[in-house]
Amino acid sequence: MTVHAIIGGTGLTQLEGLTLHEALQLDTPYGPTSAPILRGSYAGRDVLFLARHGHPHRIAPHQVNYRANLWALKQAGAEAIIAVNAVGGIHAAMGSGHLCVAHQIIDYTWGREHTYFAGDDLEQVTHIDFSYPYDEALRGKLNAVLQALDYAHSSHGVYGATQGPRLETVAEIARMERDGCDIVGMTGMPEAALARELELPYVCLALVVNPAAGKSSGIITMAEIEQALLDGIGRVKAVLAGVLSA
Ligand code: HPA
């Protein structure tokens, strides 16, 4: 049985219903993880959980130690990663509360530690294939559960990963839309690529928490984002439970 790890994003810093077996504070060559890795059972299955921004939420997207997080999850026995990401909606179908199983990603981030192959030894550099950044089998499982639960969702979507922590300008979102992005978030990269470097199957379950800049009549408020998280996170957890017990 595959050991899944869940990386919880904004609004998912803890997993109620997780029967905790241990909290692992692992040393990595890259420094500390965002929080201890929790090992326990959820929906009757062994699972690992890590709060991407720490618990309580305190680490900004550009300051998350993605390399340490993925490394430690692998060390702890993770065989597959389900990443949960709060995002803004760009495509008209991606209204607040919508769930999206991304199938592609465009990386607009910069200056992040984004590879394990950063040494001086060029012989060691591996150019991973990243044509299809997300694991198709896991995407299929997520989509089957979303379908069975009858939740509003998109089985595909292009995730645009921005640097943050500020939100985007209207022009930036317009450009991202021209690029083909459907949703926008700040944590999709380098996480997905690092998982691939470690040969960990990885999938992204995105919850839309606001219309992206220029996609509604007003500006984006933290209050609206927090409300959408409160409204949507129960559905995210139901999907996770469904996938784990499948
Ligand atoms: N932009 C970038 N990241 C986000 C957004 C957004 O509109 N909403 C939630 N995360």
Side-chain angles (χ1 to χ4, degrees), residues 201-226:
Y202 179 95
V203 75
C204 158
L205 175 61
L207 169 65
V208 180
V209 295
N210 60 280
K215 293 294 173 186
S216 71
S217 51
I219 60 167
I220 301 164
T221 66
M222 283 312 290
E224 105 184 73
I225 290 180
E226 278 158 21

Side-chain angles (χ1 to χ4, degrees), residues 86-89 162 167-168 184-186 209-213 220 225:
V87 297
T162 56
L167 296 164
E168 298 70 36
V184 52
M186 302 175 189
V209 295
N210 60 280
I220 301 164
I225 290 180

Side-chain angles (χ1 to χ4, degrees), residues 4 8 51 91 96 133 144 158 194 200 211 224 233 237:
H4 290 88
H91 190 283
S96 284
V158 178
L194 291 167
L200 283 168
E224 105 184 73
I233 215 67
K237 289 177 186 165

Side-chain angles (χ1 to χ4, degrees), residues 1-239:
M1 185 78 36
T2 307
V3 178
H4 290 88
I6 295 164
I7 302 182
T10 305
L12 190 65
T13 59
Q14 52 186 340
L15 199 61
E16 303 91 7
L18 177 79
T19 308
L20 188 63
H21 298 326
E22 60 181 326
L24 302 160
Q25 188 71 69
L26 295 176
D27 255 349
T28 84
Y30 309 99
T33 56
S34 297
I37 291 173
L38 306 183
R39 198 176 67 75
S41 53
Y42 186 71
R45 294 284 193 274
D46 280 344
V47 69
L48 299 161
F49 177 81
L50 176 59
R52 184 187 287 116
H53 300 280
H55 176 62
H57 188 302
R58 61 189 166 78
I59 307 169
H62 64 291
Q63 285 170 332
V64 170
N65 192 339
Y66 296 96
R67 291 197 299 181
N69 286 352
L70 274 296
W71 184 274
L73 284 172
K74 176 137 185 168
Q75 210 66 22
E79 295 168 320
I81 310 267
I82 305 174
V84 177
N85 303 77
V87 297
I90 299 177
H91 190 283
M94 305 285 175
S96 284
H98 202 73
L99 290 161
C100 176
V101 182
H103 75 295
Q104 280 292 332
I105 194 160
I106 299 179
D107 188 6
Y108 301 91
T109 68
W110 47 270
R112 300 182 180 190
E113 296 288 359
H114 64 286
T115 179
Y116 293 110
F117 303 120
D120 298 330
D121 185 358
L122 281 178
E123 297 286 309
Q124 296 295 318
V125 174
T126 301
H127 301 283
I128 52 157
D129 174 78
F130 204 46
S131 308
Y132 302 97
Y134 301 108
D135 184 76
E136 282 305 315
L138 265 176
R139 287 191 58 251
K141 280 187 196 163
L142 279 175
N143 278 317
V145 171
L146 281 159
Q147 188 88 37
L149 290 170
D150 202 18
Y151 289 163
H153 73 283
S154 295
S155 59
H156 292 75
V158 178
Y159 181 123
T162 56
Q163 177 71 355
R166 66 166 177 83
L167 296 164
E168 298 70 36
T169 67
V170 171
E172 284 168 339
I173 292 297
R175 178 179 76 148
M176 292 176 74
E177 188 167 26
R178 288 193 299 276
D179 285 352
C181 296
D182 299 303
I183 51 178
V184 52
M186 302 175 189
T187 49
M189 284 294 278
E191 200 173 86
L194 291 167
R196 180 62 57 84
E197 286 189 351
L198 294 178
E199 299 181 348
L200 283 168
Y202 179 95
V203 75
C204 158
L205 175 61
L207 169 65
V208 180
V209 295
N210 60 280
K215 293 294 173 186
S216 71
S217 51
I219 60 167
I220 301 164
T221 66
M222 283 312 290
E224 105 184 73
I225 290 180
E226 278 158 21
Q227 190 57 50
L229 281 166
L230 282 177
D231 294 344
I233 215 67
R235 274 175 288 121
V236 168
K237 289 177 186 165
V239 174

